[in-house]
Each structure stands twice: as structure tokens, then as C-alpha cells.
Amino acid sequence: MAKLEMINVCPNCGGKLEKLRNMYRCESCRTEFKSERVKDPNPKIGTAEDGFIKTSWFDFKTDMKKLSKGPDSKTTLHTFNYCINELGTSDAIMDYINSMLLPDCGIYAPGIKDDKIAGFVKRLHGKITPSDNILYYANTGIFSTGKQGFIITDEKIVFSEKNTPQLYFTELSEIGFETDDDFVGVHLNNSSTLQIYNISGGSFKPHGAFAALIAALSFEESPDRDKIVISRYKLDI
């Protein structure tokens, strides 16, 4: 199987590449390529000042610029903005996550450290079943133990906290950003338990990327759904 460093078009014939689980296949010549995850040292991300193209998705109850004061929150909001404005679909956002964030940011997908995913699924008390299409497992365990975290499927997000909270994307009504100079939290439906935070790996890009992915999956499931409220956690409600 050939290796492909930058996913674009088939280097053999110029045909369109079809994304499979762990590789790409040319729709024309059927050549298969292994996806090499190459890190861009200067990835393009949006800025809070750019504004949001998909205003039909969101009802803003906070000023995004005010949420971007610290370096970590700026990274989160810029990545969220880029994924929404420049990418805009769940497939494109997942391509970004796959190429830029796996696995060094404490994020794993099927085919990448399956043992970590399998071990974590056992902790979810039956909330994840073989019928679930797992997209990502994010490790939020203290010292990267892998005992805490959350799993994103194409329908819901499931956390390992007490009582195993979960949220179907069709039920998503609000994304609340909690930001400080050295802390970022993404709260779904303004909940303290449905919270994306402390992903192992030291980067805050996953927070913005996952928030955007969840929003995209929500609207792809229900295009006519109500707007998602964007708020500052527990302040702008």
C-alpha cells in the first residue's frame, strides 16, 4: 500500500480520493494509500475577529472576542472558528482532527491504539454498544491514565464521570465556553458534567475542534433544528 503524506488528489491519476477507515482509495484507478498524519507547523486557523459565516447555526449570547483573552482560550476559539468557517462539515472537521490532533493530543480513533478505546469502553456501563459508530476517544485521565475521558460517536458524546452522563447531538441546545488565562472548558447545554476539558497532550485545539464537530453533527442530523446558543459558561445564559 502506498503512503500519502498530504491528502488531496490521487498522485497517480489525479482522481478523487475516497476516505476509508485507515486509508484513502482513488475512485478512478482504485489505488489505496496509507494516510500519513503530517503536522503543519503553522496551521491556518480563524481569528475571533473574523466573525462567523454560519450565523444560521448559532445564537450568540456572548462576545467571542471577550472569550479570547488568554492564550489557551484564544487557541480554542480560533480553532472553533476555523472549523466552522473554513471547514463547515463533520467530514472536513474530522479530516482536520485526524491530520492535526491524532494521537499526540490525547485523542484516539478506531485503528489508532484500539486497546485504549476498548479499555475505556468497558468503563462506560453499557452506554457504548457495538452498534455505536465511535469517532474519537479523548483521554482526560490524571497523568494520562486513560481512566477518564469521553467518547464521541456520530450520534452522541458519552463521559466517564459519575452516572455516565451523555448527550445526543439532537438534544444539543447550547455550547458554553469557560475561559481563563490557563483554563478552557467547553460545556454542552450549560452543564457542569457535560464538559470537555483537560484533554491530555497540552493543546487546547481539540476543545474548539470538538465543539465545532458536535455542532456540525447536530445540524447534519437535523438541518431545520433551532439555533445553538453560544454563551459564556454560567454567565451569559
Side-chain angles (χ1 to χ4, degrees), residues 123-128 149 157-167 191-194:
R123 301 177 180 275
L124 296 183
H125 309 292
K127 294 294 179 71
I128 296 293
I157 181 170
V158 183
F159 296 82
S160 66
E161 305 301 322
K162 187 177 181 181
N163 299 323
T164 319
Q166 64 178 332
L167 177 71
S191 169
S192 60
T193 57
L194 301 171

Side-chain angles (χ1 to χ4, degrees), residues 1-2 4 7-20 23-34:
M1 185 183 299
L4 189 66
I7 303 302
N8 190 359
V9 297
C10 176
N12 292 338
C13 70
K16 182 179 179 181
L17 293 179
E18 173 190 11
K19 182 179 179 182
L20 305 177
M23 64 182 180
Y24 287 77
R25 178 186 295 143
C26 177
E27 294 182 353
S28 298
C29 68
R30 311 304 290 174
T31 303
E32 293 180 348
F33 299 91
K34 180 180 179 181

